[in-house]
Amino acid sequence: MSQKKIVLITGITGQDGSYLADFLLSKDYEVHGMIRRSSTERYERIEHLKGKVELHQADLLDQHSITNLVDRLRPDELYNLAAQSFVPTSWDQPLLTAEYTALGVTRILEAIRLLKPDTKFYQASSSEMFGKVKIYPQNEDTPFYPRSPYGVSKVYGHWITVNYRESYDLFACSGILFNHESKRRGIEFVTRKITLAAAKAKLDPSRKLKLGNLEARRDWGFAGDYVRAMWMMLQQEKADDYVIATGVMHTVQDVAELAYAHVGLDWKDHVVVDQGLFRPAEVDQLMGDASKAKKELGWEPEVSFEELIRTMVDADLERVKAEKK
Ligand code: NAP
Ligand code: G4F
């Protein structure tokens, strides 16, 4: 029988899921990933993990599929990273977002509660829960004021995690993670949208990029650093909630300046503001205070904002050059 710890990751095909799988394999876990059925099986981010992780079909919408999976695997740890995670889509598909991002969490918690109550559970909560903030920086005690159906759904996911911990004594943690990016970030999110556009502009300087609110401020870190924090939370004696952030804030314009400068271009020659990309309700600025995680988990971010954006541009340059060939 395997002596390895068994882990189940929902959302393994996403940015964080792929980094977490890499990390847990390096810690010698037996890694299982939950994937939803699709007519085209394109798992770009975990291509390199073929043969190293086991994939299982189940869906956040389907209680039986989740229950059966937990029953079959009996995981030591379960990281719930799956969600409808793109904020603008949450206004177009508010009910679906709530089903995945809010109720999906309860479906997983119910499966754990009924079948394997000693499974350690991680919920991917978000700084979007803080929304319209008045207090800087935000920590675990800052009140929530979500500004999108996504943010509202994450508040539900956060509180149901706390509630199952308090009601049933489950080892359930909520990581309140601020924005984190990487070369595996989805191309619709603003950092990657910009780094990809800058890389393309390097090859074709006539290319323009449409962006929304350039003044929005975020606390951007590196996804690889943030998945380490998720794991650290589940290795503690006691389950708790932690803010994970760098404590440094930049504007969307800063990202554009840095990315275009890295390929020798001036962002002003390329970026066009499109009012259609502004959100019905914006989160103007977010900046986290990760003191608790630093003190209790010993977690520290290792990659700076500048290094992160430059690495993303370099990776996109490689990609567009390869595609051109
Ligand atoms: P992502 O790249 O968008 O990945 C989302 C994952 O969820 C994908 O693997 C997706 O599968 C899966 N998924 C979506 N709906 C599903 C369903 N109905 N059933 C099963 N799987 C489903 O997101 P991420 O950036 O890695 O973020 C991971 C988690 O952290 C998300 O919950 C997100 O909301 C949260 N979060 C992210 C950040 C951040 O800055 N990245 C910050 C705070 C919190 P497909 O590949 O099939 O689409
Ligand atoms: O990159 P974004 O789409 O990320 P957002 O909305 O902050 O959400 C991300 O981080 C959350 C953590 O706080 C996660 F929970 C969530 O799942 C996701 O990963 O937008 C960042 C900012 C926004 O203020 C947006 O208005 O960039 C601004 N922005 C300006 N122009 C744009 C654009 N965002 C996008 N996606 N596309 C634009 O053209």
Side-chain angles (χ1 to χ4, degrees), residues 1-48:
M1 228 171 83
S2 166
Q3 294 304 303
K4 291 184 175 187
K5 275 196 186 171
I6 297 172
V7 61
L8 173 59
I9 304 173
T10 75
I12 194 167
T13 55
Q15 172 190 253
D16 290 7
S18 66
Y19 278 105
L20 183 64
D22 289 339
F23 178 79
L24 293 175
L25 284 169
S26 78
K27 293 269 174 208
D28 210 27
Y29 278 72
E30 181 181 310
V31 178
H32 297 261
M34 183 179 117
I35 51 162
R36 53 180 167 170
R37 197 258 160 194
S38 158
S39 66
T40 51
E41 295 206 344
R42 292 190 63 237
Y43 307 131
E44 213 176 278
R45 296 185 180 106
I46 52 168
E47 205 61 47
H48 63 291

Side-chain angles (χ1 to χ4, degrees), residues 85 87 126-127 150 179 185 188 190 193 212 216 218 279 282:
S85 76
V87 173
S126 164
S127 51
Y150 169 81
N179 299 51
R185 185 57 142 153
E188 68 275 46
V190 79
K193 186 174 172 182
R218 290 290 184 279
R279 297 178 179 184
E282 177 64 288

Side-chain angles (χ1 to χ4, degrees), residues 15 83-88 91 124-129 148 150-151 154 177-181 185-194 209-220 251-252 274 277-279 281-286:
Q15 172 190 253
Q84 190 303 96
S85 76
F86 190 48
V87 173
W91 278 285
S125 289
S126 164
S127 51
E128 274 291 302
M129 302 190 303
S148 62
Y150 169 81
K154 281 289 179 187
L177 272 51
F178 282 62
N179 299 51
H180 45 279
E181 321 293 308
R185 185 57 142 153
I187 55 173
E188 68 275 46
F189 297 94
V190 79
T191 53
R192 182 76 201 291
K193 186 174 172 182
I194 294 172
L209 168 66
K210 284 184 185 173
L211 290 176
N213 181 8
L214 297 181
E215 294 309 312
R217 289 176 161 76
R218 290 290 184 279
D219 177 335
W220 280 292
T251 61
V252 170
D274 178 349
L277 291 170
F278 280 62
R279 297 178 179 184
E282 177 64 288
V283 171
D284 296 318
Q285 34 191 345
L286 290 172

Side-chain angles (χ1 to χ4, degrees), residues 9 15 21 72 119 141 189 200 210 219 230 265 315 325:
I9 304 173
Q15 172 190 253
R72 267 204 342 265
T119 297
D141 299 320
F189 297 94
K200 286 182 174 169
K210 284 184 185 173
D219 177 335
M230 297 174 187
L265 299 171
K325 268 189 202 154

